[in-house]
Amino acid sequence: MTIAPAKCSGAGGAITGINVTNAGNYQWFDTVNHLVGQGLDVYNLPAGKYRLKVTNATGCETSTTNLTIRVASFIPISVVDVDTDSEKCNGRNAFAQPRSFTNDSTLYTYRWIDPHSGQTLGTNTGLYNLPTGSYHLLATDTNHCESQIYSVGLGAYPAPIIDASKVVVTHDACNQALGSIRGLQVSGTIGAVTYTWRDETAAIVANTLSLTNAKAGHYSLTVDNPQLCTVVSNALSITNSNTNLLPPPYDDLVIPRHHDATLQLKGPATGSYRLYADAAATRLLEENNTGLFVRKKVASDTVYYVQHAVGDCTPSTSRIGIRVVDESFFSIPNAFTPNNDGNNDRLHIRITGLLQLKYFRVYSRWGQLVFESRQLNEGWDGNWQQKPQPTGTYVWIAEGTDILGKPIRQKGQVLLLR
């Protein structure tokens, strides 16, 4: 005799193989005497107790004791290996995917449930597009018996954070693309990260964490973290200011006739420099980015104009006078009156042409040095050792070097009057 268990869904039990002789009629009854079958073997019964009643041709009958059909047990299967990933950036993108089982997985059907609500979430072996949480995998075997075979808790990775609390924005000037955005801080990333700056038209303008060489506009940073997600910063603005530029600083020059004049900018700045022959800036002579210009063999006094231009800012112009000289020498008045009346109280040496003073000395009639200076603006006040010198004739000597390096030495007399 064989008793097959009933399926977990209710029916499917069977009792077969009972040996009976000299019987002609077979009846199966449950415990409440309901007829459930009329044959030697009985099939498709739910779990319970059953008895067989047999009758022969003469009307004699007998019955078996109660025979029990039990509910089938779940055919074991469990998960051996599984791929899982946590939710990223609140994107409902977590998943669990078993890769192998301890039994033939094709003999089962599956159901994923939310253990809190009991809601069925999917009927495949894998479950995708999930938020963070706990999930149970149930399997049903060929006996329709269901059992939990796997449980998983899926965590969460928050989105990367773009922190603009320490951002430094440098604005553009004269539309030169000098603007920048620095100091953004990105945290919470995993693995490789790429950065993309876009302007208000969504055009890509940079692929670095800091934005440089930018014109006025509105910019946003996209942080792409393939292992997590993509986040975008709030728009940051760079403005532009156009101002009136200061005149470029140059000195007037004194040079020997028919020599080169070097116009040297003091303190170069970005932009372009244009040399003009006229104040209206209509006769352009040269242009460069250094502000250094050399005019060859200047024969006479002349004036040049240098214009500084930067982007869209209003340019400014400087006037540079060049005076040519044929000879350089010292000169001194014939007399001076150091009487503190505010008129001709000091004896000053004067220069014609271009000279570098080495010294200026004054001697008394007896050859006593009463004054010496190496500064043009430091004249003799008529005193020696803090004592006024008497009226009389004094000898002066001056020595220096002209623009070509030639030494110049001169002497003469001067009358001190009191």
Side-chain angles (χ1 to χ4, degrees):
M1 178 182 66
T2 300
I3 299 178
K7 297 182 182 297
C8 294
S9 56
I15 303 173
T16 61
I18 297 177
N19 292 320
V20 178
T21 58
N22 299 320
N25 184 42
Y26 304 94
Q27 292 179 309
W28 285 94
F29 295 94
D30 61 16
T31 55
V32 292
N33 289 321
H34 288 156
L35 181 65
V36 295
Q38 290 181 308
L40 181 59
D41 297 328
V42 67
Y43 297 93
N44 201 31
L45 295 177
K49 294 181 178 182
Y50 302 92
R51 64 183 177 86
L52 172 63
K53 178 181 176 181
V54 296
T55 305
N56 62 16
T58 63
C60 295
E61 61 181 41
T62 188
S63 296
T64 65
T65 59
N66 285 333
L67 304 174
T68 302
I69 296 179
R70 304 184 182 280
V71 177
S73 298
F74 177 75
I75 302 173
I77 186 173
S78 60
V79 174
V80 175
D81 190 20
V82 62
D83 289 334
T84 63
D85 200 2
S86 298
E87 182 184 21
K88 300 169 183 175
C89 309
N90 302 317
R92 296 184 64 91
N93 46 17
F95 71 87
Q97 175 62 70
R99 298 177 59 186
S100 60
F101 298 84
T102 57
N103 206 339
D104 185 353
S105 62
T106 62
L107 301 177
Y108 298 79
T109 60
Y110 302 92
R111 186 166 66 97
W112 284 93
I113 66 168
D114 180 338
H116 303 292
S117 66
Q119 178 184 0
T120 297
L121 304 175
T123 57
N124 295 316
T125 55
L127 191 61
Y128 292 83
N129 303 320
L130 301 172
T132 181
S134 297
Y135 303 93
H136 292 173
L137 176 62
L138 282 62
T140 299
D141 62 14
T142 53
N143 290 321
H144 299 172
C145 294
E146 185 178 65
S147 180
Q148 178 182 317
I149 64 170
Y150 178 70
S151 178
V152 65
L154 300 177
Y157 292 110
I161 297 173
I162 301 176
D163 182 4
S165 62
K166 297 181 180 179
V167 72
V168 177
V169 177
T170 300
H171 298 290
D172 194 13
C174 308
N175 285 323
Q176 298 180 87
L178 301 176
S180 66
I181 301 175
R182 305 176 188 270
L184 283 176
Q185 296 178 324
V186 178
S187 61
T189 60
I190 299 177
V193 176
T194 59
Y195 303 104
T196 305
W197 283 95
R198 288 181 170 84
D199 61 18
E200 55 263 41
T201 68
I204 296 175
V205 295
N207 296 104
T208 53
L209 179 57
S210 295
L211 175 64
T212 58
N213 303 322
K215 290 189 173 184
H218 305 292
Y219 300 92
S220 59
L221 174 65
T222 298
V223 179
D224 185 17
N225 189 185
Q227 294 193 40
L228 287 178
C229 58
T230 298
V231 292
V232 182
S233 72
N234 293 327
L236 297 166
S237 297
I238 294 176
T239 62
N240 177 72
S241 60
N242 290 335
T243 60
N244 294 329
L245 301 176
L246 295 176
Y250 286 87
D251 289 330
D252 290 337
L253 300 178
V254 178
I255 63 171
R257 192 181 304 274
H258 300 300
H259 281 68
D260 295 347
T262 300
L263 282 61
Q264 178 69 58
L265 175 65
K266 298 187 297 183
T270 58
S272 63
Y273 295 87
R274 302 163 187 161
L275 179 66
Y276 291 95
D278 62 319
T282 60
R283 297 165 55 197
L284 179 64
L285 301 175
E286 295 182 55
E287 182 175 1
N288 60 44
N289 294 324
T290 65
L292 176 65
F293 301 97
V294 178
R295 305 306 296 168
K296 298 291 186 179
K297 300 184 182 303
V298 179
S300 61
D301 292 351
T302 187
V303 174
Y304 292 106
Y305 300 87
V306 176
Q307 185 181 85
H308 180 208
V310 178
D312 293 342
C313 286
T314 303
S316 59
T317 304
S318 290
R319 179 188 183 278
I320 306 170
I322 299 177
R323 182 165 63 91
V324 298
V325 295
D326 294 305
E327 183 180 6
S328 299
F329 55 87
F330 298 109
S331 62
I332 199 168
N334 293 327
F336 76 111
T337 57
N339 53 13
N340 296 320
D341 64 356
N343 185 27
N344 200 22
D345 286 330
R346 283 182 175 271
L347 177 66
H348 289 280
I349 191 167
R350 299 168 184 170
I351 289 177
T352 298
L354 187 63
L355 284 173
Q356 179 68 43
L357 177 65
K358 185 177 181 181
Y359 64 81
F360 170 45
R361 297 169 181 165
V362 180
Y363 296 86
S364 70
R365 69 185 68 182
W366 298 284
Q368 176 67 51
L369 178 65
V370 296
F371 176 75
E372 182 177 15
S373 176
R374 289 175 172 78
Q375 305 294 328
L376 283 173
N377 58 357
E378 185 181 358
W380 183 37
D381 61 1
N383 294 324
W384 179 57
Q385 296 182 345
Q386 298 182 347
K387 295 179 180 180
Q389 297 302 294
T391 297
T393 300
Y394 293 80
V395 175
W396 64 268
I397 299 175
E399 184 173 335
T401 305
D402 70 9
I403 193 171
L404 298 178
K406 175 183 175 182
I408 303 294
R409 189 174 188 274
Q410 293 176 238
K411 64 185 297 185
Q413 295 182 343
V414 61
L415 181 60
L416 188 156
L417 297 173
R418 291 194 181 277

